Amino acid sequence: MPDPTSSNTNEELNTAKQVNLDNVGALNREQLTPQAAAEPQGHDVAGHDHAPAEGKPAGHDHHDHSHAGHSHDSGELDLDEEEEHDHDHGPAGANPYLLPGISLVLLLVGLALDHYQAGFFTGYVRPAWYGLAFVLVGWNVVKAAVLSIPSGNVFNEFLLMSLATIGAFAIGEYPEGVAVMLFYTVGELFQDAAVNRAKRSIKALLEIQATEVTVVRGGKNLVIDPKAVQVGDIMEIRPGEKVALDGTLNATAASFNTAALTGESAPQTKQPGEAVLAGMINLESLVQVTVTAGFQDTKLSKILAMVQDAVGRKAKTQQFITRFAKVYTPIVVGLATLLVLVPLLVVHDYVFRDWLYRALVFLVISCPCALVVSIPLGYFGGIGAASKAGILFKGSNFLDVLREIDTVVMDKTGTLTKGVFAVQQVQPAPGTEPAQLLRLVGALETKSTHPIARAVVAHVGEAVAGVAVENVEEIAGHGLRGRVDGRDVLAGNTKLLSKFNVGYPTEVDQVADSIVVAAIDGKYAGYLTVADAPKEDAAQAVRELKADGITKLVMLSGDKDSIVQRVAKELGITEAHGGLLPEDKARYVQQYLSEGRKLAFVGDGVNDAPVVALADVGIAMGGLGSDATIETADVVIQTDHPSKIATARRIARATHNVVWQNIWLAFAVKAVVLALGAGGLATMWEAVFADVGVALLAILNAVRIQRMKF
């Protein structure tokens, strides 16, 4: 809700209040009333530069927001459980529809008495009757208009509505004055409902944070606040409970519902040592998790900070409307004044009352409610729809930019592929049994922590149990040498075999994948290929992006070029480059940008962070991605599915279409009714439709985004 005493009300109409995670819901009803305008109270939140460190947005310096009267609270993220309405329509805790309802009854009864010309309904009774109906709904608006004057913020919607309705009373048009203010207030209530609907998907994120956690200290179970838990503590999580903090699973495997974080309904099974994130729900048995991140450093806290900060970053369209409103409002007040004064000089049978009525109609019509409310609400709806799909936009401006891109550059490992090595092929030498090769090589690889070695051990499984391994030597850049089950075994790359003068077939050098070559007792025994498999939806992502108008699709990777080219061919990507360092990736992206392309880069590793920052839109894979890349990115895909890139573009396009539909609707209707009002052909009733009616239509259109299927 904007502060009428502030000098930048129009900006506040479109800008969200940033909420400190520690203070969610801290504002009470008293701080949301006009009285608070004199004593600004709000969340002083430090700024946010694409990196919500420790769960707190930083980079946007917001003024304290005081609250007065009616306002378009299109962006404010007041997520207190009991404070759904941000407009002060009556006493603290009162039903916000009560006073407008009484006013409506008084208006309808008054109109009936006028129609039947009741004898008592004359003299002071009639204006007093309508005056009471007016005060019930108009007092806060008039008060807000008055409070805004000392700060110089004169030309706002409060002033327009106050002048028009009080002017109507001054010329005896009591029912119309009440009707304008009543419908304006009802419009505000509908706007509240629409905004609250748009907030629900984001509010749901807040509700997945656990409010207490059980930790094991000194052999005792203590139930404490998650903020008091330290890294290294052991959490105990019962079936059905939410995980409060990030950690690693102890002892046994367990299944977790991750839908709140990823949008995926299928449960995930975590093995001991694997990461378990805050917001997941334990499904089956009692488990223990070792805490690896404090409350403010969990991925969930950072996600919440990103989403809350998102509504404060304006799109170009919103910035245009903010600038437009600052110029538009004083112009229409000036035109309304001229509409009263100029005819005095040129019209022969000039009647002051008639021309004043036309000017008042002109003021009501010109109120920019539809634009000021529906445009931010449209973007807010887009961000909300994306968050439900597991896509987090850090600002509405990125919805616009993502829609305009024509080039998508993607990393390979962790972005298009699973980021997890697995044995793809076992090729024993003639005379060597596959099981024997796997058993001996797998046992030797248990002594290494290399990702490829772990992939081999995982593939072999229980077959290495009980196998004696001794005298192991790790030769840097080559592999392992050791004695396994009484036999001399070499396992590594071809350089290892050459070092020990073990001959091998020349075709082994032509294998594109990562390879583990083995020798047993000095003789070549075969090889295993280890590769990172493409994600299930990677090929679908490429097809959808091409169909969606992306004219250039590129894969850049630090992996071997032969592997990169194979994966690119498998997925249908026509341009790919491998063997790249981070600076090489940046050089390619700079080249594409210098060609005038609108570019999105998609990555997940720490080495991708500089390129993500360089692109027009940086997109990070949020599940497996590094914190540095996630914090640098403009869009975060929580599900790690590359096909969500095309989904994000569809959401961005739908949001853009709805926003511009609202803009043209508002301008077209207002232009027609303004012309009719200036010519004396439109009354206050048409003015009400042009203002409140169009605003409601625009809001209903904006809410459609939440119902769309992407």
Side-chain angles (χ1 to χ4, degrees), residues 304-383:
L304 299 180
M306 289 176 199
V307 177
Q308 292 177 32
D309 188 49
V311 291
R313 297 175 185 263
K314 292 185 182 181
K316 290 180 181 179
T317 311
Q318 288 177 270
Q319 293 169 346
F320 159 73
I321 293 302
T322 299
R323 294 192 301 268
F324 172 80
K326 287 182 178 179
V327 176
Y328 169 84
T329 306
I331 287 177
V332 297
V333 173
L335 290 175
T337 304
L338 291 176
L339 193 57
V340 176
L341 299 178
V342 172
L344 177 62
L345 305 176
V346 297
V347 176
H348 178 66
D349 54 347
Y350 176 82
V351 178
F352 173 76
R353 183 188 182 283
D354 292 345
W355 288 99
L356 177 60
Y357 182 81
R358 295 185 187 187
L360 297 175
V361 171
F362 190 89
L363 283 177
V364 175
I365 297 167
S366 64
C367 190
C369 300
L371 295 175
V372 169
V373 178
S374 65
I375 292 172
L377 182 59
Y379 282 108
F380 198 100
I383 291 171

Side-chain angles (χ1 to χ4, degrees), residues 44-63:
D44 243 345
V45 180
H48 174 66
D49 183 19
H50 273 256
E54 302 193 39
K56 293 183 183 180
H60 298 293
D61 242 330
H62 291 281
H63 297 75

Side-chain angles (χ1 to χ4, degrees), residues 36-325:
E39 301 176 15
Q41 305 173 52
H43 296 293
D44 243 345
V45 180
H48 174 66
D49 183 19
H50 273 256
E54 302 193 39
K56 293 183 183 180
H60 298 293
D61 242 330
H62 291 281
H63 297 75
D64 284 359
H65 295 303
S66 305
H67 305 282
H70 300 264
S71 74
H72 295 295
D73 178 26
S74 53
E76 177 181 337
L77 198 57
D78 176 12
L79 294 172
D80 192 295
E81 185 69 41
E82 297 179 3
E83 302 300 338
E84 287 296 334
H85 295 288
D86 295 325
H87 293 52
D88 178 28
H89 295 288
N95 184 339
Y97 296 94
L98 178 61
L99 295 185
I102 296 173
S103 180
L104 176 61
V105 171
L106 291 175
L107 174 62
L108 294 176
V109 172
L111 289 173
L113 293 173
D114 279 337
H115 179 73
Y116 292 106
Q117 298 180 352
F120 73 93
F121 201 59
T122 57
Y124 292 107
V125 175
R126 186 169 183 266
W129 183 279
Y130 285 117
L132 176 60
F134 175 81
V135 168
L136 290 174
V137 290
W139 169 252
N140 286 312
V141 178
V142 175
K143 185 175 181 180
V146 173
L147 287 173
S148 68
I149 293 174
S151 66
N153 179 30
V154 178
F155 297 105
N156 51 48
E157 60 177 294
F158 311 117
L159 179 71
L160 293 181
M161 300 308 296
S162 299
L163 287 178
T165 52
I166 293 174
F169 265 73
I171 61 174
E173 298 292 346
Y174 308 128
E176 294 185 359
V178 173
V180 168
M181 190 61 77
L182 174 62
F183 286 120
Y184 172 77
T185 303
V186 172
E188 292 287 296
L189 294 173
F190 278 113
Q191 290 159 23
D192 276 352
V195 170
N196 287 329
R197 181 183 182 85
K199 288 177 183 175
R200 285 173 193 161
S201 60
I202 295 175
K203 183 176 178 180
L205 279 175
L206 285 177
E207 293 173 345
I208 67 175
Q209 279 192 310
T211 55
E212 58 183 31
V213 58
T214 302
V215 296
V216 181
R217 289 180 181 172
K220 296 181 179 180
N221 287 1
L222 304 176
V223 179
I224 61 175
D225 189 304
K227 298 185 184 72
V229 178
Q230 299 175 354
V231 173
D233 278 344
I234 305 296
M235 297 186 296
E236 196 165 82
I237 306 162
R238 292 186 290 271
E241 281 189 340
K242 296 173 186 174
V243 179
L245 301 161
D246 293 354
T248 55
L249 185 64
N250 299 346
T252 59
S255 294
F256 294 86
N257 181 335
T258 66
L261 289 173
T262 66
E264 296 296 306
S265 57
Q268 288 187 11
T269 299
K270 299 289 185 179
Q271 300 298 325
E274 288 191 334
V276 177
L277 301 181
M280 294 181 176
I281 299 175
N282 181 23
L283 293 179
E284 296 173 350
S285 57
L286 181 71
V287 297
Q288 291 189 338
V289 174
T290 302
V291 177
T292 58
F295 180 78
Q296 300 288 8
D297 295 323
T298 65
K299 280 186 181 288
L300 177 59
S301 291
K302 293 180 179 181
I303 290 167
L304 299 180
M306 289 176 199
V307 177
Q308 292 177 32
D309 188 49
V311 291
R313 297 175 185 263
K314 292 185 182 181
K316 290 180 181 179
T317 311
Q318 288 177 270
Q319 293 169 346
F320 159 73
I321 293 302
T322 299
R323 294 192 301 268
F324 172 80

Side-chain angles (χ1 to χ4, degrees), residues 394-700:
K394 291 189 183 177
S396 54
N397 50 325
F398 301 120
L399 282 162
D400 278 347
V401 180
L402 186 63
R403 181 185 57 84
E404 297 169 354
I405 64 168
D406 55 29
T407 302
V408 174
V409 180
M410 291 184 279
D411 178 44
K412 179 182 74 71
T413 307
T415 300
L416 289 169
T417 61
K418 295 178 180 178
V420 179
F421 285 102
V423 173
Q424 304 293 321
Q425 182 183 10
V426 179
Q427 189 64 50
T432 302
E433 291 294 326
Q436 180 190 34
L437 175 65
L438 285 172
R439 181 169 173 272
L440 295 177
V441 172
L444 183 59
E445 294 285 17
T446 61
K447 304 303 179 180
S448 174
T449 59
H450 193 281
I452 291 179
R454 289 201 296 267
V456 173
V457 173
H459 182 78
V460 177
E462 297 297 326
V464 299
V467 178
V469 181
E470 54 190 1
N471 300 329
V472 177
E473 178 186 2
E474 184 165 357
I475 303 171
H478 292 71
L480 297 174
R481 176 190 184 190
R483 193 159 182 82
V484 182
D485 211 14
R487 309 184 69 174
D488 290 326
V489 179
L490 298 173
N493 54 32
T494 54
K495 290 187 292 183
L496 179 67
L497 269 61
S498 298
K499 181 179 178 67
F500 289 94
N501 299 314
V502 176
Y504 60 88
T506 55
E507 59 264 24
V508 173
D509 289 322
Q510 308 304 314
V511 176
D513 291 328
S514 298
I515 189 171
V516 178
V517 187
I520 300 174
D521 293 332
K523 293 183 179 180
Y524 169 72
Y527 66 85
L528 292 74
T529 62
V530 179
D532 182 14
K535 292 179 179 178
E536 289 79 0
D537 66 330
Q540 172 193 345
V542 172
R543 290 194 303 270
E544 289 185 355
L545 287 171
K546 288 181 177 179
D548 199 36
I550 299 299
T551 58
K552 192 175 188 69
L553 198 57
V554 185
M555 183 167 69
L556 303 179
S557 176
D559 208 344
K560 288 196 306 183
D561 189 63
S562 58
I563 296 175
V564 172
Q565 298 302 330
R566 177 180 61 78
V567 173
K569 184 177 180 181
E570 181 179 345
L571 299 180
I573 298 174
T574 54
E575 183 177 344
H577 306 278
L580 303 179
L581 297 172
E583 54 265 34
D584 298 324
K585 292 183 180 182
R587 179 168 48 82
Y588 274 107
V589 170
Q590 284 279 24
Q591 176 187 329
Y592 300 140
L593 291 172
S594 66
E595 295 171 359
R597 292 185 171 275
K598 281 282 190 180
L599 183 144
F601 183 87
V602 191
D604 75 309
V606 174
N607 62 338
D608 292 326
V611 199
V612 165
L614 186 63
D616 292 306
V617 179
I619 303 175
M621 292 293 167
L624 296 176
S626 73
D627 285 348
T629 305
I630 291 169
E631 292 179 354
T632 305
D634 309 308
V635 181
V636 179
I637 297 176
Q638 280 300 109
T639 62
D640 278 335
H641 291 161
S643 59
K644 294 287 188 179
I645 303 168
T647 302
R649 274 176 55 84
R650 288 193 290 271
I651 293 172
R653 191 179 300 110
T655 302
H656 176 268
N657 291 341
V658 165
V659 165
W660 278 98
Q661 286 167 9
N662 287 344
I663 290 174
W664 288 117
L665 172 68
F667 276 133
V669 174
K670 284 184 181 290
V672 171
V673 184
L674 277 173
L676 294 174
L681 300 176
T683 68
M684 281 283 188
W685 300 105
E686 284 82 4
V688 168
F689 170 76
D691 175 39
V692 180
V694 173
L696 291 177
L697 289 175
I699 289 166
L700 291 173

